């Protein structure tokens, strides 16, 4: 659903919205409240909080339900007329084409073979691979790839990610089937969903499933894969709902390259998350090697200690300093520059 559609629904429900940049503030229409700042609603996801009642972040559907009350006919009309999947890109004043995820049968997993040697040789146990329901595909679009099913929040498979096993130059290392921007992996995988609870202390954001596997092997089960260098609205929405004590951005560390793309992307996503989280909740802690797959047990222990001992205020100053080239090279949007400037004001008191 687009921001425009969220806005239209709120107006139809009688809300008067005050624009606050990335979110709106309004009164609690569902209880005839007159406090114009009681409710905060994020524009890109519809996630909302009631600051008077002190609720946790809730999905947009719940606000619609409370606002409609006993009028089930009206509720069903609203819920059936819109796609309540997350906004992928700002829509401006144009209507977005509605996109629904394709759902795959669980029986498709029976076709995956338990050939684990490739990952076993990399130090990943068969138990971890089994828990993720991964296996080798010997037919179809993911032929000769080690495939991981992607689950949505109601336990359906809505995608697959496959790692190439042939190592041929013409084949990309990873191939994805499904709408990657809607994935929050592995948060809803049956084996791991119990670890993503409301009292979660920390979430680690990594680029790839390979990083996830290495962290799982070392006991870190609070990991979300971004499938690239951008944090999607789907992942942000889930982070807001989880509301962890800390979010650790751990993209690849391209320190041997002319440009450390992982570090620069970490800065950009750090500023992006500032629209939703207070600065003390955010950390950047890159792997000690290029990625987590290149790290041994000693390196993991050092990395964990490094993350635990980050001085938040010192890191904030470093982020402001080292993100300057992004502004000079026009690689930050106006919104991200605004968030960066707000952080600098906080640092300077």
């Amino acid at each position: 659903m687009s921001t425009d559609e969220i806005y239209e629904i709120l107006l139809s429900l009688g809300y008067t919205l005050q624009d606050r940049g990335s979110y709106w503030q309004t009164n609690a229409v569902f209880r005839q409240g007159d406090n114009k700042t009681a409710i905060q609603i994020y524009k890109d996801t519809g996630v909302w909080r009631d600051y008077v009642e002190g609720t946790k972040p809730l999905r947009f559907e719940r606000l619609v339900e409370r606002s409609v009350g006993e009028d089930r006919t009206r509720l069903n009309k609203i819920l059936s007329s819109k796609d309540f999947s997350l906004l992928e890109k700002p829509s401006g004043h144009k209507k977005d084409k509605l996109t629904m995820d394709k759902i795959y049968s669980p029986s498709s997993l029976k076709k995956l073979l338990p050939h684990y040697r490739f990952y076993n040789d990399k130090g990943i146990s068969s138990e971890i691979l089994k828990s993720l329901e991964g296996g080798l595909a010997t037919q179809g679009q993911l032929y000769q790839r080690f495939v991981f099913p992607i689950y949505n929040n109601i336990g359906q498979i809505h995608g697959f990610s496959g790692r190439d096993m042939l190592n041929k130059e013409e084949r990309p290392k990873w191939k994805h089937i499904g709408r990657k921007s809607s994935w929050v992996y592995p948060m809803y995988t049956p084996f791991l969903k119990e670890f993503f609870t409301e009292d979660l202390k920390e979430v680690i954001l990594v680029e790839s499933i390979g990083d996830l596997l290495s962290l799982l092997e070392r006991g870190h089960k609070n990991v979300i894969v971004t499938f690239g260098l951008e944090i999607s609205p789907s992942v942000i929405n889930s982070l807001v709902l989880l509301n962890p004590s800390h979010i650790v951005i751990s993209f690849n560390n391209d320190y041997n390259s002319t440009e450390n793309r992982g570090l620069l992307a970490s800065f950009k996503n750090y500023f992006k998350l500032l629209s939703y989280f207070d600065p003390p909740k955010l950390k950047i802690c890159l792997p000690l090697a290029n990625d987590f797959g290149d790290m041994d047990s000693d390196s993991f222990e050092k990395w964990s200690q490094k993350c635990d001992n980050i001085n938040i205020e010192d890191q904030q100053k470093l982020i402001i300093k080292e993100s300057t080239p992004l502004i000079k090279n026009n690689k930050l949007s106006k919104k991200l520059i605004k968030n960066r400037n707000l952080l600098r004001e906080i640092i300077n008191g």
Side-chain angles (χ1 to χ4, degrees):
M1 183 187 301
S2 71
T3 299
D4 284 352
E5 289 172 320
I6 294 172
Y7 183 77
E8 288 173 7
I9 290 174
L10 291 171
L11 290 185
S12 72
L13 293 172
Y15 286 94
T16 301
L17 304 174
Q18 301 180 73
D19 196 320
R20 294 291 185 264
S22 62
Y23 61 89
W24 297 295
Q25 284 184 316
T26 184
N27 59 310
V29 170
F30 52 82
R31 63 164 180 268
Q32 292 79 49
D34 57 5
N35 184 342
K36 295 181 179 180
T37 62
I39 306 296
Q40 180 174 305
I41 309 165
Y42 285 105
K43 294 179 180 180
D44 56 355
T45 63
V47 168
W48 63 286
R49 294 191 69 172
D50 185 338
Y51 282 93
V52 172
E53 292 188 349
T55 63
K56 65 179 183 180
L58 298 168
R59 297 183 184 277
F60 185 55
E61 296 95 315
R62 182 61 182 139
L63 180 59
V64 175
E65 291 172 359
R66 292 197 66 179
S67 303
V68 170
E70 299 298 322
D71 190 345
R72 310 306 296 179
T73 300
R74 187 182 181 196
L75 174 63
N76 292 333
K77 183 178 179 181
I78 293 174
L79 294 182
S80 62
S81 66
K82 304 293 182 183
D83 176 14
F84 276 75
S85 60
L86 295 173
L87 174 68
E88 294 188 38
K89 293 183 180 180
S91 62
H93 295 287
K94 296 180 180 179
K95 291 286 184 180
D96 289 339
K97 182 179 179 181
L98 301 183
T99 304
M100 299 293 289
D101 283 349
K102 182 178 179 179
I103 302 302
Y104 300 87
S105 170
S107 63
S108 61
L109 301 182
K110 296 179 181 179
K111 300 177 182 179
L112 301 178
L113 302 180
H115 291 183
Y116 303 141
R117 182 174 177 179
F118 173 82
Y119 279 115
N120 291 160
D121 289 346
K122 291 178 173 290
I124 306 302
S125 65
S126 297
E127 288 70 26
I128 292 293
L129 299 169
K130 289 177 184 177
S131 70
L132 295 174
E133 303 180 24
L136 181 69
T138 57
Q139 58 183 301
Q141 297 181 60
L142 296 174
Y143 172 72
Q144 289 301 305
R145 292 178 179 275
F146 194 94
V147 175
F148 300 88
I150 312 295
Y151 285 85
N152 64 18
N153 64 331
I154 56 174
Q156 299 170 319
I157 298 173
H158 66 151
F160 297 94
S161 184
R163 208 289 188 186
D164 176 44
M165 296 287 106
L166 296 179
N167 294 317
K168 292 185 178 180
E169 290 185 6
E170 67 273 16
R171 282 168 61 95
K173 184 176 180 180
W174 287 92
K175 183 174 181 178
H176 310 296
I177 293 179
R179 196 158 58 97
K180 189 174 65 173
S181 60
S182 68
W183 296 354
V184 187
Y185 183 75
M187 182 170 164
Y188 302 116
T189 300
F191 166 67
L192 285 169
K193 63 182 181 180
E194 64 184 273
F195 296 100
F196 291 89
T197 58
E198 293 176 12
D199 59 350
L200 191 63
K201 293 182 179 180
E202 185 175 88
V203 170
I204 303 168
L205 301 178
V206 298
E207 285 186 43
S208 75
I209 290 179
D211 297 312
L212 165 70
L213 294 174
S214 295
L215 285 162
L216 287 176
E217 192 65 38
R218 272 76 180 186
H220 297 278
K221 296 181 173 64
N222 50 333
V223 183
I224 292 178
V225 180
T226 60
F227 294 97
L229 294 173
E230 289 286 338
I231 301 177
S232 70
S234 300
V235 170
I236 292 175
N237 180 58
S238 297
L239 290 172
V240 171
L241 291 170
L242 286 170
N243 195 27
S245 300
H246 286 101
I247 298 170
V248 183
I249 303 172
S250 296
F251 288 172
N252 290 358
N253 190 355
D254 307 306
Y255 58 91
N256 284 329
S257 302
T258 304
E259 181 179 77
N260 193 331
R261 295 177 64 248
L263 180 61
L264 295 178
S266 296
F267 293 154
K268 292 176 69 174
N269 285 287
Y270 181 98
F271 297 138
K272 188 175 186 179
L273 291 173
L274 284 177
S275 294
Y276 307 90
F277 300 97
D278 293 332
K281 284 197 170 189
L282 305 177
K283 296 181 183 180
I284 296 175
C285 190
L286 305 189
L288 300 185
N290 178 258
D291 58 38
F292 288 106
D294 293 333
M295 288 168 48
D296 57 23
S297 297
D298 288 341
S299 296
F300 266 97
E301 185 174 346
K302 291 177 182 177
W303 175 81
S304 296
Q305 292 175 354
K306 176 185 174 183
C307 290
D308 291 341
N309 294 325
I310 286 175
N311 183 298
I312 297 294
E313 292 182 3
D314 287 345
Q315 185 173 79
Q316 289 171 354
K317 294 175 183 176
L318 188 64
I319 290 171
I320 292 296
K321 178 182 177 182
E322 300 209 0
S323 62
T324 301
L326 291 173
I327 297 178
K328 292 181 179 179
N329 296 325
N330 295 317
K331 292 186 177 182
L332 285 185
S333 66
K334 290 182 179 179
K335 182 176 180 179
L336 297 187
I337 291 174
K338 180 181 178 181
N339 287 352
R340 179 182 182 272
N341 291 339
L342 288 173
L343 177 63
R344 186 169 56 186
E345 290 176 10
I346 292 171
I347 294 172
N348 295 333

